[in-house]
Amino acid sequence: MPQRLGIAVIGAGMAGRAHAAAWRAAPAAGIGSLPDLELVSVCDIAGDLAAATASRYGFTRHDTDWQHIVDADDIDIVSVVVANSLHQQIVEALLAAGKHVLCEKPLTDTVTDAESMVAAANDADSVARLGFTFRRTPGLAAIKDFINDGTLGEVHHINAWYWTDYACSPTAPMSWRYRGELGSGALADVGSHLTDTVEFLAGPIRKVSGGRFHTAITSRPLPLGHVVGHDHAEVSDEYEPVGNDDYAGFSVEFPTGAGFLQVSRIAAGHPNSLGVEVFCANGSAGFDFRFPGQIVLNRSIDDAAATGLTTIQLGPEHPYIANGLAMAAPGVGVGQNDGFVFQARAFLDEVAGIAEADSLPRCAPFSDGLHALQVRDAVIDSANDNGHEKEVQS
């Protein structure tokens, strides 16, 4: 085990702050000791934003050029949390320099770039992982356990959605999120989380059909300053066309069944509503991120008097909570920020050489990010072919 690990975050926006806070909290979210951790730098082209995030979360300094992070001798671990199109260049440079890299999802914009990143990760002596934080949600992890241990059994049918409303306003400023072709909008942004969640519970998506996109707001005003995350900013009178999707819907086929998925960034009243219902051989279960401290479960399909969904409050008997939360008790609640902490702890465990059996589940490999892009491309192909069925290429 190394004696010290220096940590940096490239990207100081909404998700960058989540990573920065997670590295600070991670040592308390697991079992066993870690090397001494030093929060070294937050990097962003917007220097004022980098400085503010570094100060807020206890990092020693800030940088405005990501190459400084690549070259820094005192940095061992780097979160890459910038626009998707920038991931490949930055991640491959970091890996070539021997840094351990935790890259935010989606892995990148194209399958070709993702294949290059997977190859770079495979060739690297350091750890390269992808941030699919919803795998760390205690409710979803509990449902997965019920599927795997036979309580629910194999999944026959799944209904899943990820509804957000950050793009509802027509005056929300133009940013990288709204640029690109159909499939690079809601589908790539929140859809990458949703398809990974479905595969986490039901296995790999093999085919898609019924692909459909819709763009409700077709142009957006240009901002006069920085756009951070989903925040609004002062805008000009100049507008730019929106090239990608506000909504996507499609059906999927996985090894033991099928289902329907919807993603939206214009679902008014749903700031962050990821939900899933799984219907299995021995019952069913459901999770809704609006109520993150609970799941619903039905374990009886033969006794009509006992059939029905029961609400279960998550507690220390369920994944992540006993050693992950300061107050590990039923009804206390858990949220998305906790998922970033669990993710950071799992990454630190792996870098420190802690055996997987003694650690939180490992973070996703880059190959999972490549597969997510292959699913996305199959949805795009389906939408471009009047919804016809398409196999997911691998």
Side-chain angles (χ1 to χ4, degrees):
M1 180 183 293
Q3 293 185 330
R4 172 202 172 274
L5 291 170
I7 299 172
V9 177
I10 299 178
M14 179 181 67
R17 291 195 298 265
H19 278 251
W23 292 122
R24 181 172 182 171
I31 299 174
S33 60
L34 290 169
D36 292 334
L37 303 181
E38 182 181 351
L39 305 178
V40 179
S41 179
V42 174
C43 177
D44 198 286
I45 192 172
D48 55 345
L49 185 60
T53 301
S55 175
R56 179 174 181 178
Y57 296 107
F59 285 72
T60 303
R61 64 175 185 263
H62 74 277
D63 287 284
T64 56
D65 184 344
W66 60 264
Q67 189 65 48
H68 294 167
I69 306 299
V70 173
D71 297 335
D73 292 334
D74 56 348
I75 293 172
D76 306 287
I77 291 173
V78 185
S79 284
V80 176
V81 201
V82 292
N84 307 335
S85 61
L86 303 177
H87 287 182
Q88 182 195 8
Q89 181 184 12
I90 295 173
V91 166
E92 291 185 4
L94 289 167
L95 292 176
K99 313 295 187 187
H100 304 287
V101 177
L102 178 59
C103 182
E104 188 53 48
K105 65 81 210 167
L107 183 59
T108 183
D109 277 338
T110 71
V111 166
T112 299
D113 288 350
E115 290 172 338
S116 175
M117 294 174 73
V118 169
N122 290 339
D123 291 340
D125 294 327
S126 53
V127 176
R129 296 289 181 257
L130 187 61
F132 279 126
T133 52
F134 281 97
R135 295 186 183 189
R136 309 290 175 179
T137 304
L140 292 171
I143 292 173
K144 181 177 177 66
D145 285 348
F146 285 132
I147 292 169
N148 289 349
D149 68 14
T151 300
L152 291 174
E154 69 178 27
V155 182
H156 292 167
H157 164 215
I158 196 162
N159 178 39
W161 61 93
Y162 198 162
W163 297 332
T164 64
D165 64 2
Y166 67 82
C168 275
S169 172
T171 61
M174 175 59 69
S175 73
W176 63 268
R177 295 180 187 276
Y178 305 110
R179 296 187 174 104
E181 304 298 322
L182 289 175
S184 67
L187 179 62
D189 187 11
V190 296
S192 54
H193 272 309
L194 190 63
T195 56
D196 185 71
T197 296
V198 168
E199 295 192 313
F200 178 64
L201 297 175
I205 295 171
R206 295 175 171 176
K207 297 178 181 179
V208 303
S209 60
R212 182 174 181 83
F213 295 118
H214 177 62
T215 304
I217 299 172
T218 56
S219 64
R220 293 188 177 275
L222 296 179
L224 296 176
H226 302 309
V227 178
V228 180
H230 300 153
D231 293 348
H232 279 221
E234 190 175 357
V235 297
S236 71
D237 294 331
E238 185 179 356
Y239 278 70
E240 181 180 321
V242 172
N244 55 29
D245 44 295
D246 289 332
Y247 165 89
F250 52 100
S251 296
V252 299
E253 178 183 306
F254 47 86
T256 60
F260 184 67
L261 284 64
Q262 291 188 89
V263 295
S264 177
R265 62 189 185 193
I266 52 166
H270 291 270
N272 191 43
S273 298
L274 181 145
V276 61
E277 298 173 296
V278 291
F279 304 95
C280 305
N282 303 321
S284 63
F287 173 81
D288 187 328
F289 215 86
R290 289 172 295 181
F291 311 99
Q294 67 185 45
I295 61 173
V296 293
L297 184 67
N298 171 42
R299 290 178 287 180
S300 176
I301 60 176
D302 293 321
D303 184 353
T307 296
L309 293 170
T310 299
T311 298
I312 297 175
Q313 297 293 321
L314 299 173
E317 298 80 9
H318 300 103
Y320 293 101
I321 292 178
N323 300 304
L325 298 183
M327 188 178 290
V332 172
V334 64
Q336 191 165 356
N337 286 307
D338 297 302
F340 284 96
V341 176
F342 303 150
Q343 172 180 272
R345 175 64 198 230
F347 191 85
L348 289 170
D349 285 349
E350 185 172 9
V351 171
I354 297 172
E356 188 168 1
D358 301 323
S359 168
L360 295 179
R362 297 295 196 222
C363 296
F366 278 12
S367 56
D368 285 6
L370 168 59
H371 175 71
L373 287 169
Q374 291 165 335
V375 173
R376 182 208 64 183
D377 282 0
V379 176
I380 295 170
D381 289 345
S382 175
N384 288 335
D385 191 21
N386 296 314
H388 289 162
E389 182 178 272
K390 301 295 178 179
E391 290 191 9
V392 175
Q393 300 300 314
S394 60

